[in-house]
Amino acid sequence: GRRQARVERYEDPVDNRGAGDELVWIPAQGGDRNLIVPARGVISPHFGDEQDRVYGYSDQGLISMQLDGTDRRTHVKIVGQGWGPEPAPAQNARISPDGRHALALVNEQLYVVAVPRTDGAVPTVNVSVASDPVRQLTEVGADYFAWADGGSTITWGLGSSFFRLPLADVMADAFSDAANTSVEEIEAVVERPRHIPKGVIALRGARVITMRGEEQIQDADIVITDNRITAIGPRGSVTVPEGARIFDVNGMTIMPGIVDVHAHWFEIRRGVLDLENWNFLANLAYGVTTGRDAVNSHDIFAYQDLVDVGEIIGPRAFSTGPEIGQNSNIESATDASNVVAKFAKYYRTKTLKSYLVGNRTQRQWVVEASKAYGMMPTTEGASSLKLDLTHAIDGFSGNEHSFGTAPIYKDVVELVAQVGMFYTPTFMQAYGGARGEHDFYLSTEVHDDQKLRRFIPHNLIDSRTKRRSWYRKEEYVYPRAAAAAAKIVRAGGRVCVGSHGAMQGISAHWDMWAMQSGGMTNYEVLRAATLHGAEAIGYAQDLGSIEVGKLADLIVLVENPLEDIRNTNTIKYVMKNGELFEGDTLNQIWPQQKTPPRLWWWDEQQGESK
């Protein structure tokens, strides 16, 4: 097996091949853990035809070593078509129990290859070269794979489906493609009711920013039945059912919950799910009641399910899942359809991220396939304004990150506004200058903020707040990018808030404050953070405003954000799905009283990181 320290998992969140990983073995009958070697990038430890050797996959290829780490060998390198002239290495590989074949994931597709037996140089098998002994098993893709039945059966998983295929059928001359009738697909169906709290509560006395136009309701009553808003109006104008809990929020301000369209829950644990998911706790505590992770591993969909059934606390956790990139090798409209089918059928998401998939024709194939499957494809231009403009013209539903050029003028402004694209500039990582997050680390107190220290591991706070880079004010590009976004809004376009996961929870507020620096009104910023975000992910029918019939996601603020945009961070309470939490602690106070899971660093002394 492969072991990783808890702290190192958070210090190396994007690629869990950290320097501190170890390969270990444990006797099958139980006993002590035995170190083989420090992993140093080796993944997927497994056995082949020699029980005294352990196999794994690394940048060098499919390797093996004895159980004490000695006699390390590289058996085969497996590659496929690359982005440029050089071939791309396989993402993972496993030797068969008899050592004659290997399964390999290359460019998201699963292959079986014959392992050459040589005594000399390490052989290389290119799955894209017809002369090599290779069989492609999938066209839609695979998440994981393994050998079964002593090597006579190949298995793999994709989303909630599990596949089996006899090796003998694969090697038969009649086998031609992944549509072979020998492939057995087993769809795992697990049905659980969505978590819906029970009870009636009325929030009384606050100013309510509803997001129905620029409407404000003074001294309002909001009635929430179970998880939906059932009445709203000035005090005394609506019927509060007998027996309802009357909750006094007199003098406070209520706004819809924040919708973070470009979230990144980078630090989630993968492979083995973490039910004490502090990423989600931090976001909910800061009023982010809905997020769309704009690229993560397929494990994120399991976390979404855990939230929806009430097993863990968190925002509504939508995601694009893994990106569609150049390694998808989209060479036809059919290829694009297969790739998009993976997201629509197996990941069951309605939104995907197309990231530099290739030339314009390839990008258009992705848009066309997305339309056929009812998907909302977002994308990004990687600082290229020309690329961003073709995204707008060709029909992408969203464009992530700021345009690489500022200022922009009427032609660009009106194009983006009129095509209806949702533009999420992510000012924490705006292109063309110093990242906006650096400014907020320096200009606001982060390291000693007690709320942040409650919900974010101290080692992460230390690593991002100590010995920061320092920039002059004019080096930050976000005010110019925000001015460009303001032009788009004034032209009728839709701009959204995206934190980019800079610092979970609080960075959604930083993005709003940065957006306001470019000339948007406070109301326009709040609309970007709520209603426009809900529209961007296709859920405005339920989210983004405080209206009868919508889900009860809202924030209770001590101070009015229409007077000062930084008042978005004066959070007294957060309501998500009809459940009311204290903002500082996430203690639930309605309809039940309970505390959130205890996080492991709460026992650390102030200022210490272990």
Side-chain angles (χ1 to χ4, degrees):
R2 186 162 150 263
R3 185 173 73 95
Q4 183 182 47
R6 175 178 58 195
V7 169
E8 287 161 355
R9 190 174 75 238
Y10 297 136
E11 290 177 343
D12 185 24
V14 177
D15 184 353
N16 287 346
R17 302 186 187 187
D21 292 11
E22 295 176 340
L23 297 183
V24 299
W25 68 270
I26 302 172
Q29 66 273 21
D32 294 336
R33 180 176 60 242
N34 300 275
L35 175 66
I36 301 173
V37 288
R40 295 192 177 97
V42 178
I43 62 172
S44 300
H46 60 283
F47 290 106
D49 56 344
E50 302 165 274
Q51 292 304 305
D52 62 341
R53 299 186 68 80
V54 62
Y55 284 75
Y57 185 73
S58 74
D59 292 341
Q60 287 75 45
L62 189 60
I63 66 168
S64 73
M65 65 192 76
Q66 292 187 341
L67 290 178
D68 61 1
T70 62
D71 191 23
R72 181 164 174 159
R73 305 174 191 168
T74 300
H75 298 272
V76 62
K77 294 181 179 179
I78 304 171
V79 299
Q81 181 174 330
W83 296 9
E86 295 298 320
Q91 297 151 272
N92 201 349
R94 285 178 177 266
I95 197 78
S96 64
D98 64 5
R100 297 174 57 195
H101 298 90
L103 292 173
L105 192 66
V106 185
N107 292 330
E108 315 294 343
Q109 303 298 338
L110 184 61
Y111 297 82
V112 61
V113 306
V115 176
R117 297 287 186 175
T118 64
D119 295 325
V122 176
T124 296
V125 175
N126 190 328
V127 300
S128 301
V129 176
S131 61
D132 282 338
V134 172
R135 292 285 195 275
Q136 181 174 345
L137 305 181
T138 64
E139 291 181 340
V140 176
D143 294 331
Y144 57 88
F145 54 92
W147 294 96
D149 301 328
S152 63
T153 303
I154 298 167
T155 68
W156 67 94
L158 180 61
S160 58
S161 289
F162 182 73
F163 299 83
R164 294 172 54 89
L165 177 62
L167 176 63
D169 289 358
V170 174
M171 305 315 294
D173 291 338
F175 185 86
S176 58
D177 54 42
N180 186 279
T181 55
S182 297
V183 177
E184 178 187 10
E185 179 177 352
I186 304 167
E187 185 177 347
V189 178
V190 179
E191 293 187 355
R192 288 275 303 275
R194 289 185 181 274
H195 175 60
I196 300 176
K198 299 298 180 182
V200 183
I201 186 173
L203 306 180
R204 171 166 288 171
R207 172 192 302 104
V208 180
I209 305 168
T210 66
M211 287 302 149
R212 295 192 302 182
E214 297 193 29
E215 176 186 56
Q216 295 183 56
I217 301 175
Q218 306 295 329
D219 191 17
D221 278 342
I222 306 176
V223 180
I224 295 102
T225 303
D226 298 340
N227 67 337
R228 290 193 180 267
I229 299 165
T230 50
I232 181 172
R235 185 196 299 244
S237 69
V238 300
T239 299
V240 178
E242 185 177 350
R245 165 79 182 275
I246 308 296
F247 198 84
D248 184 12
V249 287
N250 187 56
M252 299 185 189
T253 299
I254 295 178
M255 62 173 283
I258 296 167
V259 181
D260 186 348
V261 170
H262 191 110
H264 281 303
W265 302 306
F266 286 130
E267 295 89 358
I268 65 167
R269 188 176 182 183
R270 297 171 184 141
V272 178
L273 302 184
D274 191 349
L275 299 186
E276 298 175 2
N277 187 340
W278 64 265
N279 293 257
F280 286 0
L281 297 176
N283 277 282
L284 189 61
Y286 279 94
V288 178
T289 55
T290 298
R292 182 190 66 183
D293 194 320
V295 169
N296 211 315
S297 78
H298 54 268
D299 284 336
I300 192 62
F301 298 116
Y303 282 103
Q304 179 180 353
D305 289 345
L306 287 168
V307 171
D308 288 347
V309 301
E311 291 287 338
I312 62 176
I313 302 170
R316 302 178 192 278
F318 300 104
S319 180
T320 65
E323 68 186 35
I324 299 176
Q326 286 180 307
N327 62 350
S328 297
N329 285 331
I330 296 173
E331 297 181 349
S332 67
T334 299
D335 288 344
S337 181
N338 285 333
V339 170
V340 173
K342 175 170 69 174
F343 293 82
K345 180 179 178 181
Y346 294 101
Y347 294 156
R348 301 177 191 170
T349 181
K350 289 295 183 182
T351 179
L352 58 82
K353 174 75 174 291
S354 175
Y355 181 58
L356 303 177
V357 298
N359 61 33
R360 190 171 183 183
T361 297
Q362 291 167 304
R363 299 195 299 272
Q364 290 172 343
W365 285 334
V366 171
V367 172
E368 291 168 355
S370 298
K371 183 177 180 180
Y373 280 100
M375 301 286 285
M376 299 180 73
T378 194
T379 186
E380 65 177 84
S383 194
S384 169
L385 181 61
K386 291 181 179 179
L387 192 52
D388 290 320
L389 295 180
T390 66
H391 291 157
I393 294 168
D394 291 345
F396 281 97
S397 65
N399 201 87
E400 311 298 311
H401 296 303
S402 63
F403 299 144
T405 301
I408 58 175
Y409 299 98
K410 184 177 180 180
D411 52 350
V412 174
V413 169
E414 292 195 351
L415 170 65
V416 176
Q418 291 181 29
V419 299
M421 170 182 279
F422 294 95
Y423 175 45
T424 308
T426 65
F427 299 112
M428 296 306 96
Q429 189 177 336
Y431 288 129
R435 294 167 63 134
E437 66 177 298
H438 294 298
D439 193 18
F440 289 94
Y441 284 125
L442 294 170
S443 63
T444 63
E445 179 51 63
V446 179
H447 182 270
D448 293 338
D449 186 298
Q450 290 304 304
K451 183 172 177 178
L452 283 172
R453 294 185 70 83
R454 178 177 178 83
F455 292 109
I456 297 178
H458 298 171
N459 64 297
L460 267 182
I461 293 179
D462 288 352
S463 68
R464 297 182 185 182
T465 59
K466 293 183 175 181
R467 299 184 180 181
R468 296 295 309 176
S469 301
W470 184 87
Y471 298 93
R472 293 178 59 84
K473 279 291 185 182
E474 65 267 21
E475 293 183 89
Y476 291 105
V477 71
Y478 72 80
R480 298 190 296 278
K487 290 182 179 180
I488 293 171
V489 167
R490 300 288 161 72
R494 292 171 291 187
V495 173
C496 304
V497 163
S499 71
H500 195 64
M503 180 63 77
Q504 299 296 341
I506 188 62
S507 55
H509 295 266
W510 292 349
D511 197 71
M512 286 188 276
W513 304 347
M515 187 177 290
Q516 191 264 355
S517 72
M520 281 196 206
T521 67
N522 291 0
Y523 167 76
E524 288 169 336
V525 172
L526 297 181
R527 184 178 60 183
T530 56
L531 186 59
H532 282 175
E535 292 172 347
I537 62 173
Y539 286 95
Q541 69 274 19
D542 280 320
L543 304 171
S545 63
I546 300 175
E547 300 183 67
V548 171
K550 287 200 173 186
L551 292 166
D553 289 9
L554 50 86
I555 313 170
V556 182
L557 305 171
V558 176
E559 304 292 341
N560 185 359
L562 293 177
E563 295 178 355
D564 183 341
I565 195 61
R566 298 206 175 204
N567 287 339
T568 59
N569 195 28
T570 62
I571 297 171
K572 182 69 174 178
Y573 305 107
V574 177
M575 176 174 278
K576 184 253 173 169
N577 202 43
E579 294 180 319
L580 192 64
F581 302 86
E582 293 177 346
D584 285 342
T585 65
L586 278 191
N587 291 332
Q588 187 182 139
I589 53 181
W590 172 265
Q592 302 179 48
Q593 292 187 353
K594 55 185 180 181
T595 58
R598 187 169 186 82
L599 299 172
W600 55 267
W601 61 88
W602 286 2
D603 295 325
E604 293 180 4
Q605 295 182 14
Q606 175 73 23
E608 291 187 0
S609 298
K610 298 179 180 179

